[in-house]
Amino acid sequence: MFSAMPPELTDRTIDFLWDRQPDLRACSLVCRQWLPSSRRHLFESTTVRPDARFLPFLSSVVTKYARTLDFRLWPPEMDPLGPEILHHMPMVLNLRNVVLGSLPPSPENFPVLSRVVKLSLQHTEFPSCAELVESLAKFPALRELELAWVTCVDVGHNVWPRFPSGLEYLSIQGFAQTPGILQWLSSDDYPRTRALALHIPNDAPDPALLSTVSKFLRCLDGHLQYLGLAMYPSPNLQSSLAVLDLGGLSNVQRLRIGHGIYFHPPTTHRTSGMCRTFRSVLTTALGLASNNQLAELIFDVEISPDMWSFSSDSFFKGLLRDHTVAQIPVVRLHVLRGSHSYDAAARHCRQFAVYMGERGYVGRNILYSADEGK
């Protein structure tokens, strides 16, 4: 029966199981025809383990199917097989995304990965800015760069990397603890990126650090097309935003605001959902929208297990009916996946859309979407 079914149909069916590991493993055992499609999803994202058991797996499967390699579990002391594993990395034909964290291999030992377009550096300390720059040079085709709590022991004065066509996307998290990265943003070699995501910390960072980020934003004005702001409600938020001076931007086409809307789905069929908004976060969106000809305004909607004692209906209604917001072609309310499965995120998205519709939050420019997590 399986052999008579066209392979295009079985491949398409297996594609729907991309986030269900047990089902994919079961499909891989059905027949030889189902094996490649199942493996493509099973090993699309692979954690690199420098031990003897991983090496044959790397040679036979990972080099053929992996698109993402995650080095975050690399041990403090490299296994003797580490150099051999790194030697195989350029052979991963479909590799497009690399994640490094905690303690990446020395740039001297790390191979040049010419196909990688996205790099994520997380919780990583480099001996010097020179080693950080050397590490970035290992990815000549880089278009997306995520920096999360990346530090340099010796900041020094170094020439920072230039990307020939500029970065398509740059994300900075924990910038208050990264003087080396801030030096890059304030140098003549600052990254010219069309899309930027900033994570505004809860604590009160040094105003001088925020001022550096503000100057970087002004340098990008006229070139920056997408701005994402993950802002957490805190007593320090207003002062941080004042130093950043985001109102100076004038050419952003897509604006994404996170952590300003919390939706609490109904716990039973008898209880209705509730929504809480944080005005200091959403008011920032209004201020930026008024200075830009936005094509799309995106509000990230968080799903929280806690139930609030009140909602923010009146403020939310005023926000979505604001004259500035009404003129934006697309206002997207995007339900984040978080720790939920895609099916759960999609279900919460539908519940949120019903909740909004019941309260009259409708409009031709209001769309709903769920985070697919892929």
Side-chain angles (χ1 to χ4, degrees):
M1 178 179 69
F2 295 128
S3 59
M5 183 178 294
E8 294 83 1
L9 294 181
T10 57
D11 290 348
R12 181 59 176 162
T13 302
I14 292 173
D15 286 344
F16 284 102
L17 304 175
W18 61 267
D19 63 341
R20 301 180 183 179
Q21 294 284 314
D23 294 338
L24 288 170
R25 287 194 289 268
C27 288
S28 69
L29 300 175
V30 171
C31 64
R32 184 174 299 177
Q33 177 181 313
W34 289 24
L35 185 59
S37 295
S38 302
R39 280 185 166 181
R40 180 166 61 87
H41 295 293
L42 279 169
F43 305 115
E44 183 176 42
S45 180
T46 303
T47 299
V48 177
R49 302 179 183 276
D51 56 43
R53 293 171 299 176
F54 183 80
L55 193 57
F57 175 68
L58 169 66
S59 303
S60 61
V61 178
V62 174
T63 55
K64 185 175 182 180
Y65 296 103
R67 294 180 62 86
T68 298
L69 292 181
D70 190 334
F71 286 83
R72 282 178 296 181
L73 295 183
W74 201 281
E77 297 296 332
M78 286 182 59
D79 187 276
L81 287 174
E84 188 172 356
I85 289 177
L86 290 176
H87 176 73
H88 281 79
M89 294 298 99
M91 303 176 191
V92 184
L93 301 180
N94 295 312
L95 183 60
R96 296 295 182 270
N97 182 12
V98 169
V99 182
L100 295 176
S102 298
L103 185 66
S106 170
E108 296 180 358
N109 300 323
F110 206 84
V112 174
L113 300 178
S114 58
R115 300 183 184 91
V116 172
V117 296
K118 181 177 180 180
L119 171 65
S120 179
L121 286 173
Q122 305 175 8
H123 300 277
T124 302
E125 181 179 85
F126 289 89
S128 67
C129 289
E131 286 215 6
L132 170 58
V133 172
E134 187 179 348
S135 297
L136 295 178
K138 298 292 185 176
F139 305 90
L142 198 63
R143 290 296 175 267
E144 299 183 35
L145 177 60
E146 297 179 351
L147 301 172
W149 290 281
V150 175
T151 60
C152 301
V153 176
D154 178 18
V155 177
H157 297 280
N158 300 285
V159 177
W160 288 92
R162 285 183 178 271
F163 299 95
S165 301
L167 287 174
E168 294 295 328
Y169 177 81
L170 174 64
S171 173
I172 304 176
Q173 189 168 1
F175 55 81
Q177 292 82 33
T178 56
I181 304 303
L182 292 172
Q183 185 193 63
W184 181 27
L185 301 185
S186 61
S187 71
D188 293 335
D189 296 325
Y190 68 87
R192 291 162 176 80
T193 177
R194 293 184 177 87
L196 177 66
L198 294 177
H199 297 254
I200 310 300
N202 282 331
D203 56 358
D206 185 348
L209 303 182
L210 292 175
S211 179
T212 299
V213 177
S214 178
K215 292 177 181 177
F216 172 58
L217 285 169
R218 287 199 292 271
C219 290
L220 293 178
D221 195 28
H223 183 73
L224 190 66
Q225 298 177 3
Y226 168 88
L227 177 61
L229 297 173
M231 303 187 299
Y232 297 85
S234 75
N236 304 304
L237 181 59
Q238 289 296 334
S239 58
S240 296
L241 291 175
V243 178
L244 283 176
D245 189 25
L246 298 171
L249 299 177
S250 59
N251 294 98
V252 176
Q253 298 178 14
R254 299 179 67 235
L255 175 64
R256 183 168 183 170
I257 300 289
H259 306 287
I261 303 174
Y262 286 78
F263 173 62
H264 311 278
T267 54
T268 68
H269 68 282
R270 295 182 179 180
T271 60
S272 61
M274 289 194 292
C275 179
R276 186 179 184 188
T277 62
F278 291 92
R279 302 190 180 198
S280 59
V281 174
L282 301 185
T283 301
T284 302
L286 290 179
L288 282 172
S290 63
N291 293 335
N292 293 269
Q293 297 296 319
L294 291 181
E296 184 174 14
L297 175 61
I298 306 168
F299 292 116
D300 283 342
V301 180
E302 301 279 349
I303 300 296
S304 173
D306 301 320
M307 296 299 291
W308 297 92
S309 58
F310 62 92
S311 61
S312 304
D313 285 351
S314 60
F315 177 73
F316 208 178
K317 183 178 295 184
L319 173 75
L320 293 181
R321 293 180 179 177
D322 181 271
H323 175 74
T324 300
V325 175
Q327 300 303 312
I328 300 174
V330 176
V331 177
R332 185 180 303 277
L333 297 163
H334 187 73
V335 177
L336 297 178
R337 179 180 176 185
S339 60
H340 304 282
S341 67
Y342 170 66
D343 290 341
R347 183 174 65 255
H348 290 320
C349 181
R350 291 191 294 269
Q351 290 174 328
F352 184 57
V354 170
Y355 172 90
M356 297 288 283
E358 290 175 346
R359 285 152 183 80
Y361 304 143
V362 295
R364 289 179 298 177
N365 65 334
I366 298 178
L367 301 178
Y368 300 90
S369 60
D371 192 350
E372 296 184 2
K374 187 179 182 183

